[in-house]
Amino acid sequence: MAPAPGSPAVDAPAALAGLRGIVLLQGLPDEGLAEVAQACRFRLYRARQTVIARADVDRDCYLVITGKLRVVALSPGGREVSFRDAAAGEAIGEMAALDGRPRCATVIALQDSLLARLSPEALTDLLRRHWPICERMLRHLAGAARGLTERVYELSTLNVQQRLCAELLRLGLAADAASPDRVVLSPAPSHSELAARISSYREQVTRELAELARLGIVSRDDRQLVIVDLNRLAEQVEAVRAA
Amino acid sequence: MAPAPGSPAVDAPAALAGLRGIVLLQGLPDEGLAEVAQACRFRLYRARQTVIARADVDRDCYLVITGKLRVVALSPGGREVSFRDAAAGEAIGEMAALDGRPRCATVIALQDSLLARLSPEALTDLLRRHWPICERMLRHLAGAARGLTERVYELSTLNVQQRLCAELLRLGLAADAASPDRVVLSPAPSHSELAARISSYREQVTRELAELARLGIVSRDDRQLVIVDLNRLAEQVEAVRAA
């Protein structure tokens, strides 16, 4: 019988192999992983499909086996506030799974994505029984709260150019380049994406990027955005914070 | 011998009694509580004293036995971004204790406050050994990330009057009044405090409160701020979100 649409046939070895790539589950012995696999429902989401909708009351946690998703909130006026992207190996929807309240953001698949869906009870059981996984979740949540605290601070105290510099610095550091003298962001985030990350408008980001290019901090070609001097960008961001 | 300044003599029964009021520790049996008391250092902070400074690398978690504190970030220009107030029974500094990174906010005592200071190792040990406490911490962190997500969304999509209404609604719901027809916030938050909570300026808050009073949504007298009709305020906030 053909599998139901969206519910691919994932056999036990494939499920185990998929879950082995999930950061949260690192170090879990095979029998534990097999139990998680048993508790999961696997589902394939198409690019642009909505996985979680803000304000919904479902509470499952999703493990990203393959693909990429974006966590956003859309304003009634159509403005997109972007929170984070989740790649293969990451988890999404963990907040509602843990505190039982309605979804505070929407999650949209950026690419076709295979997700393993875990009930809040199964997640709680996993955390209760395996301390290393629980500790990783505690750190992840603390890190999420820390990143959001920083973002509130930036939104409250920095102008658009300063926020753009801070965001480019984060992207540059995350790119983990061999040398700080030429950090390539490829594919370059679009101006709309940057705007959604720093709560600005596309036109404003375009203007500010042109200014940063004029100052020799970034250069742009084709599909790449190059941070010409990451240390100088870091100094600039630091100077604003200490000003 | 007189106790060192700031380090009050807290005998074992007083320590136990103090820790019994900490929400995070609820349900911990007496012997567990005694172990926590042993691991804590008690210290009295005076009103206006800084307990934690943003960017510092110390990692202790503090349990608020008595008093009240405010979690803020101060911009170089002197602007205060207020994150939350922590009253007796709450914990502060848990993020750095869990993820080991520098402090992302400053904590200032609003009143004389007796705090129990717990090392990150002692906190971790407590969470590892007592699942109900760990589950409470997971929920607390998820809730913190949720509240900050909401704040980023509001800062990105709402104007000052809309943010003020959303904040007044939160304060009104937290006041847990008998009737929604007259919710008294007493003592009223100052206009500066409200501004620090919604990332605005005092003058702007004063202006917007006057407008809300004119619309019959709030009324002010002396040291009180009264939400005249909480349901109407909720409808107003809801209408903006669905507009």
Side-chain angles (χ1 to χ4, degrees), chain A:
Chain A
M1 210 172 79
S7 302
V10 173
D11 63 14
L16 271 187
L19 292 176
R20 240 180 231 113
I22 301 296
V23 175
L24 185 66
L25 305 179
Q26 293 300 301
L28 188 64
D30 270 0
E31 64 267 28
L33 220 49
E35 281 180 42
V36 177
Q38 280 261 320
C40 282
R41 283 160 298 152
F42 290 83
R43 186 171 162 191
L44 187 65
Y45 289 81
R46 296 294 174 194
R48 287 182 296 282
Q49 204 175 337
T50 297
V51 177
I52 291 174
R54 185 171 146 93
D56 271 6
V57 294
D58 68 294
R59 292 184 51 193
D60 288 350
C61 175
Y62 297 78
L63 308 172
V64 186
I65 308 291
T66 63
K68 196 174 181 188
L69 304 103
R70 180 159 292 165
V71 182
V72 298
L74 302 165
S75 83
R79 185 158 188 184
E80 182 177 313
V81 182
S82 180
F83 290 102
R84 66 176 177 118
D85 288 356
E90 298 187 54
I92 50 170
E94 68 284 7
M95 268 149 55
L98 291 170
D99 76 1
R101 297 187 50 207
R103 301 293 190 182
C104 61
T106 291
V107 180
I108 296 165
L110 294 177
Q111 309 166 357
D112 290 355
S113 301
L114 178 63
L115 306 186
R117 189 171 176 165
L118 207 55
S119 71
E121 294 75 22
L123 176 67
T124 300
D125 189 56
L126 185 67
L127 297 173
R128 188 176 54 76
R129 289 168 56 198
H130 302 281
W131 170 248
I133 296 180
C134 187
E135 192 172 28
R136 216 171 278 137
M137 179 61 91
L138 287 163
R139 276 198 203 138
H140 163 73
L141 292 171
R146 176 187 290 281
L148 289 160
T149 297
E150 195 57 33
R151 184 151 169 192
V152 167
Y153 179 70
E154 289 181 6
L155 273 172
S156 305
T157 62
L158 303 185
N159 65 28
V160 174
Q161 189 185 96
Q162 292 164 339
R163 297 207 298 273
L164 181 60
C165 285
E167 183 62 27
L168 289 174
L169 179 61
R170 270 189 290 272
L171 291 173
L173 291 172
D176 209 14
S179 153
D181 290 341
R182 187 183 151 78
V183 178
V184 179
L185 307 179
S186 174
S190 74
H191 297 189
S192 309
E193 283 173 330
L194 286 171
R197 282 166 181 268
I198 63 167
S199 304
S200 177
Y201 294 96
R202 185 177 56 74
E203 298 77 3
Q204 222 171 343
V205 166
T206 301
R207 208 155 47 227
E208 297 297 347
L209 274 178
E211 175 66 11
L212 290 176
R214 199 187 61 76
L215 293 170
I217 292 174
V218 302
S219 76
R220 293 172 297 168
D221 59 59
D222 211 14
R223 309 206 43 204
Q224 295 187 342
L225 180 63
V226 180
I227 300 170
V228 176
D229 184 343
L230 194 67
N231 289 336
R232 195 167 142 224
L233 182 63
E235 277 164 25
Q236 189 142 335
V237 170
E238 203 38 61
V240 168
R241 283 175 205 255

Side-chain angles (χ1 to χ4, degrees), chain A residues 76 99 102 146 156 199 241 243, chain B residues 76 99 102 134 146 156 199 241 243:
Chain A
D99 76 1
R146 176 187 290 281
S156 305
S199 304
R241 283 175 205 255
Chain B
D99 76 2
C134 186
R146 176 188 289 282
S156 305
S199 304
R241 284 175 205 257

